[in-house]
């Protein structure tokens, strides 16, 4: 059986870099050293060159969901695969 995953993505252009997502869910979100905006941790990325999207284990859904709800500009999204 394939482990359940959730797809997470960030509309990074609109990120205001307040680090709320990182503080709530550091297993999934991190701040980019290149542009200072939030990104998906490298180990979860679908495409290593795309920091905006990842596939994470469903067991991380609660912290992803907390980040989605807390992001002040509502730019984090997820769907269950
Ligand atoms: S919570 Fe939203 S605005 Fe804040 S760093 Fe994360 S993605 Fe950017």
């Amino acid at each position: 059986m394939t482990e359940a995953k959730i797809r997470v993505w960030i509309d990074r252009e609109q990120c205001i870099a307040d680090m709320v997502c990182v503080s709530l869910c550091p297993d999934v979100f991190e701040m980019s050293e290149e542009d200072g905006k939030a990104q998906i941790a490298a180990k979860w990325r679908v495409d290593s060159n795309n920091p905006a999207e990842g596939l994470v284990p469903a067991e991380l859904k609660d912290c992803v969901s907390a980040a989605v709800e807390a992001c002040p500009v509502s730019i984090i999204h997820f769907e269950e695969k």
Side-chain angles (χ1 to χ4, degrees), residues 2-79:
T2 311
E3 190 186 357
K5 296 270 176 62
I6 51 179
R7 185 168 83 93
V8 185
W9 68 101
I10 311 168
D11 297 329
R12 299 188 71 246
E13 303 75 28
Q14 297 160 56
C15 176
I16 59 171
D18 63 357
M19 296 183 69
V20 166
C21 55
V22 178
S23 64
L24 288 172
C25 194
D27 286 342
V28 174
F29 302 99
E30 62 186 23
M31 302 309 289
S32 166
E33 292 180 3
E34 288 181 17
D35 63 12
K37 297 183 176 187
Q39 62 185 13
I40 304 295
K43 64 182 173 184
W44 308 125
R45 286 180 205 161
V46 178
D47 171 349
S48 58
N49 293 318
N50 177 10
E53 183 175 342
L55 270 181
V56 309
E59 65 200 43
L60 293 172
K61 180 182 167 186
D62 285 352
C63 84
V64 168
S65 183
V68 167
E69 288 177 21
C71 174
V73 286
S74 303
I75 56 169
I76 309 173
H77 312 280
F78 77 97
E79 65 180 8

